Amino acid sequence: MSNMIISNLPVLVVLLPLAGALFCPVISYFSRRAGRLTVIAFAGTSFVLSVVQLLRITDVGKISYHFGGWEPPFGIEFSLDSLSAVLLVLISGTGFVSTIYSLPFFRGKSRFRSFGYYSVLSLLICGLLGMTSTGDVFNLYVFLEITSLSGYALIAMGGDKGVLSSFRYLMIGTIGASFYLLGIAFIYGETGTLNMYDMSGLVGPVLSSGTTMVAMAFFVVGFGIKMALFPLHGWQPAAYTNAHPGAAPLIAGVMGKVPAYAMLRFFFYVFNANTQYVERFLVVVGIMSALGMIYGSLKAIRQTDFRSMLAYSSIAQIGYVGLGIAITGYYGLMGAVIHIIGHSMMKSCLFFCSGAIRYRYGETAMERFGQIYRKMPVTCAAIVIAALSMVGVPPLAGFFSKWYLALGAANMGEYIFIFVLVISSLLNAVYFFRLFENMFMNKNVADGSKGIGAYLAVKAEKKAERDSVPFKEMAATKEGYKGRLEIPPAMLFAVIVSALGIILAGLFNAQLVEILGPAIREVV
Amino acid sequence: MNGGRSKRLREKSVFKIVGIVLLMVLVGLMFTIVDRLPVIGNPDSAPNRHVSDYYIEEGPELTHSPNLVTGVLADFRGFDTLLETTVMFLAGVSVAMILSNRLKRHWDAGIFRKDENFGGYEVKVIMPILIPVIIVYAFYVLMHGEVSLGGGFQAGALLAMAFMLYIMFADLGKNKFRITQHFTVCVAACGVFIYFLTGFLCMINGGRFLEYEALPFSAEHGAELHATGILMIETGVTIGVMATIITILEAVVERNSLNGRS
């Protein structure tokens, strides 16, 4: 049995969440709670197995899994190196914590809502895991489809505004996926293969042909839309803001990063990034990212809603990843990968906290956060840790990615990128310290009374008004949360785990770099 | 205030023009390479030399499927098909989740029959004859799937069509189908699970995922197990697709009947 599990690790990690999604509706027929716990159990098992897989890969090196026993160019392959194994641990971990975090939102909800949400969330985890582990370009597209569809559904579950922003995302996202599919078709026409490793061997002679160039342009646009790179980010702020609060951490934290990882795979592992043809595209990616870093930060400063500030900040942060890809070289790529990992944790943590505040007080406007640290000390501590990490304060995860990016840019002589990096970090500091000011120093709230406690009294008057709104998703906030802890234990667990993750990813950064090193050194 | 709004409008129209120009550039790019794409049927083009050769020469023997397309779809790239079926299931769940805001409403075919003369006598006489034929044909498509072109997706669509026709024309006052969306989603999940289970059985028996030769059934040749495996996954696909179509239809109808009442 254990032998079976070890030899089939890659497929089990990806498909266990799928199995959870399939069991959930049937089990929910008998018990809602058991249905939710099934999904959590499967996601947890997947997380444990992904850790086992990472340990195994550090021992034996790369793993290649051939579906149906067919040899790679003919069948589908999962190819895993230490880079994808680390990301798998990250994704399944965030997914597992998200499934636990979502529990309080569905207490007392109808059977249908409960199983629908949990099935779709589980499928989102499956899609993200699959995109990371696959070694086949068309298989990547299918997983991208699963990821996008479940993303649309989870965003649409966030209420009326969610449906609208989900529809916009559906329009733009479908165009992005079509670009990627067209790109595959062109590249298949040139090389005759769909396997990534095989393609990297065959693509050399045709790299200069027009078809390949167009395919690469399409990959940049397709992945750019999916990861919300600067001029292609139109769908992103509304989608992240209005997503269902339980799924927002996973959507904002991980869903944008996996296409970025796929872009990195394409440029460095399929195409050889050191040739002049690919370098041109990397320059374009670099310019887009640098503009996005400034634009996203400036827009984030203007926001008054906590969630939309975080969403615009994500546009800036995905720029860091793009910048790392554009810088190339060992340090540039290391910076991009560490930023994918670090930023996933920070953004999930911030969205966990924003969802927790919304769960307790139904509030997302930052000016209403006055003195909130008295009521929710742990959540506020987590916000502070994540925000400091975003700014780049040394012992935390966010510092190291910026350090590597700056190092890489200096090595390559791209000093303009260092300048952009510094400016963007300063702007980060501006908007996060404004948040701190609201949380810790602001004594007044909008109506002139003191602190969030007084604000709640005013809010209770408006309760009847809000109750009449149809499609109200947040049943819990209507009643007000009454518990011994500041937020339900399931949410507190998620907040604490994600904050700890940021600290640990910072403290054990050397070990992380050591694990990632061989996979990155291979292509530079 | 007014000036600001018109300025914003002007900015928006600038964005629109920039967007259209960029779109034109991309479309133009696509047209420039149309004549560089490999010619259809050219035996020397890259797609026809590398992987396809192997599929054509070895495929029928290795997969025990006389049909090349089925061999590639269900065997060589069977994992992709599992995920495509999952996409169907996901679409069904998502549509039902987004469209329905109330529960425990059942099929209300009344909206089809607001007009008393809907269908007419000819249709009402023909349908009871036609529906069984459609179902039989669906099973034929399913069973013949590994031999000829076709299979699960089409069979599922046919079964769903038979169900729809029955709902629209049968006298529902007497024999009412009490099907909820939750139930159809469960059926779709079972369909996808049959597919998943086929792969999982191979794994438990010591093979790779979806390695049909490791299925725990007895057969004279390994190749015959391929046919069994393909039939199993096609059955799963049929059930999944059928239930998904019914789910989506039910969600849409439910939504419409709600709109009509409010």
Side-chain angles (χ1 to χ4, degrees):
Chain A
M1 186 67 188
S2 73
N3 196 18
M4 185 278 268
I5 290 176
I6 289 294
S7 60
N8 291 304
L9 264 180
V11 66
L12 282 175
V13 168
V14 175
L15 289 191
L16 278 178
L18 171 65
L22 296 178
F23 281 130
C24 181
V26 181
I27 291 176
S28 294
Y29 226 91
F30 307 106
S31 155
R32 273 173 272 181
R33 195 176 155 74
R36 295 194 286 261
L37 291 180
T38 313
V39 168
I40 293 177
F42 275 93
T45 319
S46 164
F47 172 60
V48 172
L49 289 182
S50 73
V51 174
V52 173
Q53 178 174 265
L54 175 63
L55 295 177
R56 199 171 143 73
I57 283 178
T58 49
D59 273 356
V60 300
K62 287 184 189 175
I63 295 181
S64 166
Y65 188 88
H66 307 159
F67 280 91
W70 303 112
E71 285 303 304
F74 309 113
I76 295 170
E77 183 195 15
F78 269 10
S79 78
L80 295 152
D81 52 13
S82 55
L83 174 57
S84 43
V86 169
L87 285 179
L88 286 177
V89 172
L90 173 80
I91 295 166
S92 56
T94 317
F96 173 52
V97 174
S98 291
T99 51
I100 294 180
Y101 174 81
S102 306
L103 277 177
F105 290 106
F106 290 90
R107 196 164 292 144
K109 276 290 170 67
S110 71
R111 205 171 58 180
F112 193 66
R113 291 229 161 267
S114 158
F115 91 77
Y117 173 85
Y118 266 88
S119 277
V120 177
L121 183 68
S122 195
L123 284 173
L124 175 62
I125 299 170
C126 164
L128 292 168
L129 290 171
M131 273 178 81
T132 313
S133 29
T134 189
D136 186 283
V137 290
F138 188 76
N139 196 235
L140 177 69
Y141 171 75
V142 183
F143 274 118
L144 184 74
E145 219 175 350
I146 292 186
T147 309
S148 318
L149 274 180
S150 40
Y152 304 146
L154 288 172
I155 291 165
M157 282 174 208
D160 282 351
K161 277 185 175 175
V163 173
L164 190 65
S165 29
S166 163
F167 185 69
R168 277 180 70 182
Y169 178 29
L170 185 129
M171 287 293 154
I172 304 176
T174 308
I175 293 172
S178 315
F179 271 124
Y180 175 64
L181 189 61
L182 275 174
I184 295 179
F186 288 152
I187 211 91
Y188 179 73
E190 284 294 299
T191 59
T193 183
L194 290 172
N195 185 279
M196 283 186 190
Y197 181 74
D198 197 29
M199 192 182 277
S200 72
L202 288 168
V203 86
V206 295
L207 206 54
S208 58
S209 79
T211 317
T212 317
M213 296 301 242
V214 172
M216 262 190 266
F218 282 6
F219 286 149
V220 170
V221 176
F223 287 132
I225 287 176
K226 282 288 170 197
M227 67 196 251
L229 206 57
F230 162 57
L232 310 168
H233 66 276
W235 58 271
Q236 191 252 38
Y240 284 11
T241 306
N242 300 321
H244 189 285
L250 193 62
I251 289 176
V254 185
M255 209 175 83
K257 308 297 176 306
V258 174
Y261 161 80
M263 189 194 240
L264 191 150
R265 276 267 160 203
F266 261 96
F267 275 132
F268 290 90
Y269 292 80
V270 178
F271 306 123
N272 185 359
N274 300 320
T275 54
Q276 49 165 332
Y277 305 107
V278 183
E279 265 173 9
R280 285 181 207 158
F281 286 98
L282 291 180
V283 170
V284 175
V285 172
I287 293 170
M288 281 157 84
S289 314
L291 288 176
M293 282 160 74
I294 303 290
Y295 168 86
S297 306
L298 285 176
K299 283 288 263 190
I301 290 176
R302 282 180 59 185
Q303 303 304 314
T304 53
D305 187 304
F306 189 26
R307 294 167 302 162
S308 60
M309 184 190 92
L310 295 178
Y312 275 106
S313 146
S314 273
I315 296 174
Q317 302 287 324
I318 205 74
Y320 287 65
V321 179
L323 201 70
I325 295 175
I327 288 171
T328 70
Y330 175 72
Y331 290 113
L333 283 190
M334 187 58 90
V337 173
I338 291 196
H339 200 73
I340 288 177
I341 297 165
H343 183 246
S344 298
M345 286 177 177
M346 300 176 237
K347 222 5 90 67
S348 328
C349 178
L350 285 167
F351 267 95
F352 279 137
C353 295
S354 100
I357 293 173
R358 188 175 163 196
Y359 180 82
R360 183 154 175 196
Y361 295 121
E363 252 334 304
T364 54
M366 277 186 290
E367 76 231 27
R368 303 269 165 77
F369 283 4
Q371 306 290 315
I372 199 170
Y373 71 97
R374 289 172 201 272
K375 299 271 180 189
M376 306 175 79
V378 180
T379 313
C380 287
I383 292 182
V384 169
I385 290 171
L388 288 180
S389 172
M390 291 278 258
V391 175
V393 174
L396 301 169
F399 166 73
F400 292 97
S401 52
K402 291 186 185 181
W403 173 252
Y404 278 109
L405 287 176
L407 215 60
N411 267 357
M412 291 283 163
E414 317 243 23
Y415 294 104
I416 184 85
F417 284 161
I418 298 183
F419 178 70
V420 172
L421 201 64
V422 171
I423 294 284
S424 174
S425 297
L426 289 177
L427 291 172
N428 267 356
V430 171
Y431 58 77
F432 277 115
F433 280 106
R434 205 166 58 99
L435 171 67
F436 291 167
E437 189 196 336
N438 275 319
M439 275 163 42
F440 295 105
M441 290 172 223
N442 183 5
K443 290 214 165 44
N444 299 315
V445 289
D447 61 318
S449 52
K450 291 199 170 184
I452 194 155
Y455 169 67
L456 283 179
V458 182
K459 215 176 130 191
E461 290 168 18
K462 295 179 184 165
K463 198 174 147 194
E465 194 187 328
R466 276 188 294 113
D467 281 355
S468 62
V469 179
F471 270 111
K472 193 68 189 168
E473 288 291 326
M474 311 284 303
T477 56
K478 277 192 272 183
E479 291 146 22
Y481 167 69
K482 292 184 193 68
R484 224 157 359 113
L485 299 166
E486 56 182 75
I487 36 175
M491 290 178 139
L492 202 61
F493 168 76
V495 168
I496 292 174
V497 165
S498 57
L500 276 182
I502 296 169
I503 298 174
L504 291 181
L507 289 181
F508 295 100
N509 196 266
Q511 280 81 350
L512 194 62
V513 170
E514 203 175 297
I515 294 173
L516 291 170
I520 292 178
R521 245 179 247 289
E522 182 188 317
V523 290
V524 291
Chain B
M1 189 71 200
N2 209 4
R5 191 182 292 164
S6 71
K7 194 184 166 194
R8 209 175 300 151
L9 274 180
R10 218 179 302 141
E11 273 176 16
K12 273 195 177 170
S13 63
V14 168
F15 278 131
K16 258 182 206 164
I17 291 170
V18 171
I20 289 170
V21 168
L22 280 177
L23 206 65
M24 288 298 157
V25 169
L26 275 174
V27 172
L29 262 180
M30 277 175 66
F31 275 110
T32 57
I33 57 155
V34 164
D35 59 334
R36 290 171 189 232
L37 287 176
V39 181
I40 296 170
N42 177 7
D44 293 329
S45 67
N48 286 344
R49 271 181 314 183
H50 187 48
V51 182
S52 320
D53 261 359
Y54 179 81
Y55 286 154
I56 293 168
E57 280 166 19
E58 317 273 331
E61 216 169 296
L62 287 174
T63 63
H64 196 65
S65 160
N67 190 288
L68 199 62
V69 177
T70 313
V72 174
L73 186 88
D75 206 335
F76 286 111
R77 301 191 71 87
F79 187 57
D80 273 346
T81 312
L82 166 64
L83 297 171
E84 290 290 355
T85 319
T86 312
V87 167
M88 288 291 288
F89 166 72
L90 175 55
V93 177
S94 309
V95 169
M97 287 295 297
I98 293 167
L99 286 187
S100 73
N101 46 3
R102 266 186 230 172
L103 280 176
K104 287 175 185 163
R105 283 192 180 276
H106 302 288
W107 259 86
D108 181 12
I111 61 154
F112 288 119
R113 288 184 272 153
K114 285 213 173 97
D115 183 3
E116 284 292 311
N117 297 322
F118 180 71
Y121 281 107
E122 300 88 339
V123 177
K124 278 182 184 160
V125 171
I126 287 291
M127 278 308 152
I129 305 168
L130 201 55
I131 289 173
V133 176
I134 292 175
I135 294 176
V136 169
Y137 183 62
F139 276 101
Y140 168 75
V141 171
L142 167 65
M143 292 300 172
H144 209 242
E146 96 270 6
V147 183
S148 74
L149 207 67
F153 285 92
Q154 290 87 333
L158 281 169
L159 284 177
M161 188 173 84
F163 179 82
M164 279 157 61
L165 289 174
Y166 174 76
I167 287 296
M168 279 160 67
F169 293 101
D171 192 357
L172 286 178
K174 284 177 192 158
N175 43 357
K176 208 171 198 170
F177 259 122
R178 306 279 290 181
I179 290 185
T180 58
Q181 288 170 39
H182 191 161
F183 180 76
T184 50
V185 168
C186 285
V187 174
C190 291
V192 183
F193 187 69
I194 290 174
Y195 202 141
F196 180 81
L197 198 67
T198 312
F200 201 74
L201 282 178
C202 307
M203 241 162 69
I204 287 179
N205 214 23
R208 299 297 178 120
F209 192 77
L210 287 175
E211 187 174 354
Y212 300 129
E213 281 175 33
L215 276 171
F217 306 121
S218 61
E220 284 178 33
H221 305 293
E224 279 175 20
L225 281 172
H226 280 275
T228 317
I230 291 174
L231 189 64
M232 279 174 78
I233 65 162
E234 296 281 15
T235 313
V237 171
T238 305
I239 296 172
V241 169
M242 176 193 72
T244 302
I245 293 177
I246 295 174
T247 310
I248 292 176
L249 194 83
E250 207 165 333
V252 172
V253 170
E254 181 186 88
R255 182 76 174 182
N256 279 346
S257 54
L258 283 179
N259 284 349
R261 259 168 234 174
S262 59

